[in-house]
Amino acid sequence: MQKKIIVVGNWKQNPPTLDKAKQLFIDIRNGCKAKYSDIGVVIVPPVPFISELRRLSPSGRLLLGAQDVSLYDVGAHTGEVAPTMLESVGAEFIIVGHSERRANGETDEVVQKKVAQVVRRGRAILCVGEHERGKADYFGVVDTQLRTALQGLPPAQVKRVVIAYEPVWAIGTGQTATVEMVEEMKIFIKKTLTNLFDRKIADAVPVLYGGSVKANNTEDLLRFSNVDGFLVGGASLKATEFINIIATAQKTYGEKNS
Ligand code: PGA
């Protein structure tokens, strides 16, 4: 997918049943007209729903992803799901290092192994972000997360990574980061990628923002912070709100580039 803007809906552990997941997916699909041609939309449901939902979008207008992956390849790892399995049911993007997984004990080293597994064939959405602002060294936190996660990756595989800047204090709190915060972090991430690899690679890696994204803050974030899209949690569970985010992203992108 080489879309200009990527909008990802991370459904987390929702909705409770396959029927409800299908209904939400269909509502989003029906609202996602071809006119939103610059926006790549990725729905990231819980694993048991992926293959059924994949069938509901045969044209691939909505892409699918997964929220996590095993750090192991196939084998004797009870309860784990390998990247090849996710890929074979239609998950083209895999979120790695979401703060809700890091809160369950996932370290930067585990994140690094997972990213390495995913980008051998597919695309990883690598989440980074600080817990607090104020006097905290938030650039230092993001720097370490990036350096560790991308360590040792061949340049061709780095191009399969999408970075999602998700300040933890903004997730699910209604407290969105300001456009200035997002813009300076995007610049910092691009600089770090340039130092680790080179400018060409840094240019090829999209940087998304996530943390209380809603239809009413999409325009400012896209217009002024220059992000390449959004990772949306809560608002992706309401079809109308999510479609409004996509529509606003298309409109703003069109205006910026006309
Ligand atoms: P939120 O979640 O949009 O509900 O803040 C974002 C995320 O966790 O990816």
Side-chain angles (χ1 to χ4, degrees):
M1 175 183 70
Q2 263 332 328
K3 292 285 186 182
K4 319 288 189 328
I5 299 292
I6 304 171
V7 178
V8 184
N10 174 13
W11 288 1
K12 307 191 179 183
Q13 197 175 248
N14 298 289
T17 63
L18 177 59
D19 281 351
K20 289 199 164 85
K22 281 180 168 171
Q23 194 54 58
L24 176 58
F25 189 86
I26 289 167
D27 291 346
I28 293 171
R29 185 197 65 190
N30 291 349
C32 271
K33 303 281 154 41
K35 64 184 175 186
Y36 303 141
S37 56
D38 293 315
I39 316 295
V41 182
V42 185
I43 301 295
V44 189
V47 169
F49 305 152
I50 296 174
S51 54
E52 283 276 342
L53 298 186
R54 181 72 194 81
R55 253 174 257 155
L56 294 176
S57 186
S59 69
R61 188 187 296 161
L62 297 184
L63 299 172
L64 281 141
Q67 300 169 18
D68 188 29
V69 68
S70 173
L71 60 99
Y72 309 109
D73 212 339
V74 289
H77 305 288
T78 302
E80 299 283 344
V81 181
T84 49
M85 297 170 181
L86 294 171
E87 188 194 340
S88 73
V89 293
E92 293 183 41
F93 289 76
I94 299 179
I95 297 176
V96 181
H98 190 280
S99 63
E100 285 154 16
R101 302 227 47 90
R102 292 180 190 263
N104 282 334
E106 191 159 298
T107 61
D108 283 339
E109 288 67 30
V110 170
V111 171
Q112 186 256 325
K113 290 197 172 91
K114 290 185 176 185
V115 171
Q117 284 268 41
V118 171
V119 295
R120 267 191 231 146
R121 299 153 62 110
R123 300 198 66 181
I125 300 175
L126 167 65
C127 298
V128 296
E130 77 282 358
H131 275 265
E132 49 175 348
R133 282 262 159 170
K135 294 204 183 80
D137 179 16
Y138 44 89
F139 286 126
V141 172
V142 171
D143 186 67
T144 306
Q145 289 174 336
L146 281 177
R147 280 175 196 281
T148 317
L150 301 177
Q151 195 177 292
L153 281 190
Q157 295 185 2
V158 182
K159 291 187 185 157
R160 298 206 196 113
V161 176
V162 175
I163 310 280
Y165 169 53
E166 294 213 303
V168 182
W169 51 267
I171 295 178
T173 59
Q175 232 191 308
T176 318
T178 64
V179 292
E180 291 81 9
M181 289 174 182
V182 177
E183 186 184 23
E184 68 169 5
M185 192 56 88
K186 178 179 172 182
I187 294 168
F188 178 78
I189 290 169
K190 292 282 185 181
K191 266 194 199 147
T192 308
L193 292 173
T194 305
N195 290 339
L196 286 173
F197 303 98
D198 61 40
R199 178 72 195 273
K200 241 175 139 182
I201 290 179
D203 285 346
V205 174
V207 177
L208 314 185
Y209 167 74
S212 298
V213 172
K214 306 260 180 326
N216 64 13
N217 52 34
T218 302
E219 178 172 349
D220 278 359
L221 284 164
L222 206 54
R223 196 180 291 282
F224 302 115
S225 70
N226 282 315
V227 277
D228 303 304
F230 302 105
L231 179 49
V232 185
S236 70
L237 294 169
K238 296 173 210 124
T240 314
E241 180 76 11
F242 192 58
I243 291 159
N244 279 339
I245 291 173
I246 295 161
T248 308
Q250 176 67 54
K251 182 171 156 281
T252 311
Y253 179 82
E255 287 170 5
K256 263 181 90 176
N257 293 281
S258 62

